[in-house]
Amino acid sequence: MIFSSPPWETVTYWALDLETGGLDPGKDPIIAVGMLPIRAGRIRLGESFRTLVRPGGLRRIDPASVRAHQLVLGEMKDAPTIDDVLPIVERRLRGNVLLVHHRGIDVTFLQEACRRTGVKWPGPKVVDTVDLLLRVAKRARFTSPDHPQDRPVLNLGAAREAHGLPPYQAHDALTDAVATAELFLVLRHELGARTLRDLR
């Protein structure tokens, strides 16, 4: 039996980006969260959410990560902890779709944070713009044999440039969430996706 899938524009997507104090979700903290919804196919900047997150316990910021996100511990001393932030994130994701650029980082960090703090992971469906970039490239190679066979550029900024989108300053959680949302809408159009299933 084939189950129907809702039209893509009837679903609410929460574009989300995290800044982290390293690349190991088992020991490195989430230090910033940015997210905003896409409703009825439109980005809703007025509903965006952004916060720094104060690392707790023994979690420390890897000095090497500071070169990317430019955040230092002193900026987070008055920020809420991940225990305070995760329920806010969970409420937005519950019953909606999580939109990320590279699920291997954002989803893994969120799941580990939920496990550690006791917040129930809402188990949202996930749309990853990295997956969509790979599908767009595969389709281009199939429909145009002369298309370059190189692996597509998967870096968020470079992918945006390749698809005609303007540059943004990277490594700010909310800015990167906006950048992901815009890239998603372009890729959705290029793929001609009509349902949520077409995007997963």
Side-chain angles (χ1 to χ4, degrees):
M1 177 177 184
I2 298 176
F3 293 97
S4 63
S5 181
W8 80 273
E9 72 277 9
T10 65
V11 176
T12 297
Y13 306 81
W14 277 93
L16 175 141
D17 184 74
L18 305 176
E19 296 302 325
T20 62
L23 295 176
D24 183 348
K27 68 178 182 65
D28 296 324
I30 294 171
I31 57 174
V33 177
M35 57 193 308
L36 75 163
I38 300 172
R39 300 186 195 279
R42 296 180 184 273
I43 296 170
R44 307 292 184 172
L45 281 172
E47 297 179 54
S48 63
F49 170 70
R50 122 192 285 165
T51 185
L52 294 176
V53 182
R54 186 173 76 247
L58 299 175
R59 291 177 179 260
R60 298 288 179 256
I61 298 172
D62 181 343
S65 73
V66 176
R67 285 195 294 271
H69 53 64
Q70 310 275 312
L71 295 171
V72 294
L73 196 55
E75 295 176 81
M76 291 161 249
K77 64 183 174 59
D78 297 322
T81 66
I82 195 65
D83 302 70
D84 300 318
V85 172
L86 270 181
I88 298 170
V89 173
E90 187 273 337
R91 280 195 301 273
R92 285 166 168 78
L93 295 182
R94 193 184 314 142
N96 296 312
V97 174
L98 172 58
L99 172 63
V100 294
H101 186 80
H102 201 308
R103 78 176 76 214
I105 295 174
D106 295 303
V107 174
T108 304
F109 266 88
L110 284 175
Q111 288 175 325
E112 171 59 22
C114 284
R115 185 200 64 74
R116 196 174 65 254
T117 61
V119 172
K120 185 176 183 338
W121 172 245
K125 291 179 171 64
V126 178
V127 173
D128 186 345
T129 47
V130 168
D131 294 340
L132 298 182
L133 285 165
L134 293 170
R135 286 171 56 194
V136 165
K138 182 178 180 180
R139 182 176 177 174
R141 287 192 297 270
F142 180 76
T143 57
S144 176
D146 296 331
H147 192 274
Q149 298 297 307
D150 300 340
R151 183 175 171 86
V153 177
L154 300 180
N155 170 273
L156 179 57
R160 284 175 56 84
E161 181 180 0
H163 290 271
L165 290 166
Y168 289 152
Q169 180 67 42
H171 299 297
D172 171 84
L174 183 56
T175 302
D176 284 351
V178 172
T180 298
E182 292 177 347
L183 180 60
F184 163 73
L185 292 177
V186 169
L187 296 175
R188 197 279 325 159
H189 179 75
E190 289 186 18
L191 288 167
R194 296 183 178 181
T195 69
L196 177 58
R197 183 186 295 119
D198 296 336
L199 294 164
R200 299 188 68 234

